[in-house]
Amino acid sequence: MAYQALYRQWRPRDFSHMVGQEAIVETLRHQVETGRIAHAYLFCGSRGTGKTSTAKILARAINCTNPQEGDPCGECEVCRRMQADDYMDILEFDAASNSRVEDARELLEKVNFPPQFGVYKVYIIDEVHMLSNSAFNALLKTLEEPPEYLVFILATTEPYKLPATILSRCQRFDFGRIPAGQIQGRLKEATDGAGGEATDGALMAIARAAEGGMRDALSILDMCLGYGRKIDEALVRQVMGTSDRSFLFQFSRALAEENAAETLRLVDALMNSGKDPLVFSRDVSGHLRSLILAKCCGEEMAEILDLTEEDGKEYQRESEQISTSRLMEMLDQFMRLETDLRYSGSPRVALENVSLKCCLRTKETDTLALNDRIAELEGKIAQLQDQLAQGIVVQAEASAVAAKAPRRAAGKGVSPKETSTAPKQKTLTPTGRGADEIWKEALKQLQKTEPGIHGMFLMGQYVGSDGTEYRWKANPTFDVVAKSLNMEQRKTKIEEVLTEAAGVPCTFIAYDSAQEQQKTEDASDEAYLEELYSTFGEEPVDVVDELPQA
Ligand SMILES: [Zn+2]
């Protein structure tokens, strides 16, 4: 026997075998049972959601002489005749390949002949939005005064393309996407039926890729089974040409770090492995969306996206390194790329272009990106101002050290703990570094060992230190990050790194944007001048260019 594609084998023969669309099925069953059949139905919904299958079942159910709970019985004479392919009174018509008015006319010529066996003559018109205008007019004439025995079932993925005159004459049903869990269940049955074996993860990957369409899901499963009886996630990815998650993480990381060279290298690797840019850009969009959800929904995102707990955690970890606004901007770019790639003559160039745009943030007009950059620049300016002030102290100190006996005599460093209670003083630590240098050094270290924490620091700025306590302030949109940084585990890590860099015990505290405002103003101008006087006296000091060697 010739091989029959899985989606044909598993096409539901009656309502009780349908997966999903419970509400629609219930309504239609009820109509069959009560005999309240409309003259025209409109089934809308994306591909593979069961429109055509439902239409075929309905067509048979309303003709069956002994329906069982709204399902065709499969045993009466009409049912047996209907199972034959050449049954005359259920006519299927694909408007996508027969859109001309002559085609429609030819089809509609037969409407005046009553059904030969059953009660109803049923026209199923698939992709009805493809009909030409004059074909619609021909159809409309029939719909205006249909013979008693006539039923139209129109199916479409794009109902908004239908004329209002047609829409208003149909009973409309909207077919939603089938949940991944339900598709996975049917895939399991189909795999077992075909004598195959598949991991739950593999079937879920197929179900997710099918985006709510059962036909696509079964077709992908069919292709996988063509490679072997055992199906795992790697095979699914190979068959679909999609990228594995680790590659996507690598790619998004390169974008987040604005690492253009790495981004281009990854695109090159992708093209060399024969992947389709369109499929890849769709994968990237899905991946970015997951990162955004991880940022916004925390642990719940695993459930929303049908991910395992472990994968959910990985998304959360990664999402900490990039701001929501940038993620959204990137998603925007890649969604647009999907559309552009359909018309692009050089898909690779288009992919590279968008990837670079994401790296370089060239969209100056985008307010989200702009806000992001302003926040970043503000941070840099604050840091520079602080460095400038600190720099004068450090240089002056250096000249003092050069001129006179060193302050830090005989290995006994000035303990910053003591000085912090005494008249305030911008202190050099035992390592000979100023506070800003220590902060910078700590940041560098964190970037290597705790990239998550380092990423959070980008959502605000360092605001200063009294020598042992280091203060950081969140940007207004990221106040929540302050709380997060003050959490025991992170705080400890940060303090460890600061202590290491300073050579004395250090503490860290993060403020949200409102809290720290007060404190920085207090510490301004006058207090600072006093500090300078108390350190160097009121005489002018020499400022030299060399910084002390650490
Ligand atoms: Zn029957």
Side-chain angles (χ1 to χ4, degrees), residues 14-139:
D14 49 37
F15 288 132
S16 55
H17 284 92
M18 293 260 313
V19 175
Q21 320 301 359
E22 292 84 358
I24 293 175
V25 166
E26 200 188 310
T27 309
L28 293 178
R29 274 182 196 266
H30 183 70
Q31 292 195 353
V32 174
E33 278 177 325
T34 56
R36 296 166 74 164
I37 312 299
H39 278 298
Y41 292 88
L42 177 64
F43 291 174
C44 315
S46 52
R47 47 186 267 128
T49 47
K51 300 184 297 294
T52 314
S53 298
T54 307
K56 286 180 176 178
I57 297 168
L58 181 63
R60 284 188 291 112
I62 57 178
N63 274 308
C64 171
T65 54
N66 183 27
Q68 307 292 309
E69 291 175 32
D71 261 330
C73 74
E75 283 164 10
C76 68
E77 205 202 326
V78 185
C79 273
R80 270 185 280 128
R81 282 184 187 277
M82 285 188 294
Q83 275 155 18
D85 281 341
D86 56 352
Y87 186 75
M88 296 286 291
D89 296 329
I90 299 178
L91 294 106
E92 291 177 41
F93 182 81
D94 180 12
S97 45
N98 304 284
S99 60
R100 295 172 311 146
V101 64
E102 299 86 71
D103 297 324
R105 280 224 187 89
E106 196 186 312
L107 177 85
L108 295 172
E109 263 169 18
K110 299 169 202 148
V111 300
N112 292 322
F113 303 106
Q116 277 182 292
F117 300 103
V119 188
Y120 294 101
K121 185 165 195 165
V122 186
Y123 282 82
I124 300 174
I125 306 183
D126 239 336
E127 301 296 344
V128 66
H129 62 273
M130 300 287 279
L131 288 180
S132 66
N133 271 342
S134 32
F136 271 128
N137 286 335
L139 177 63

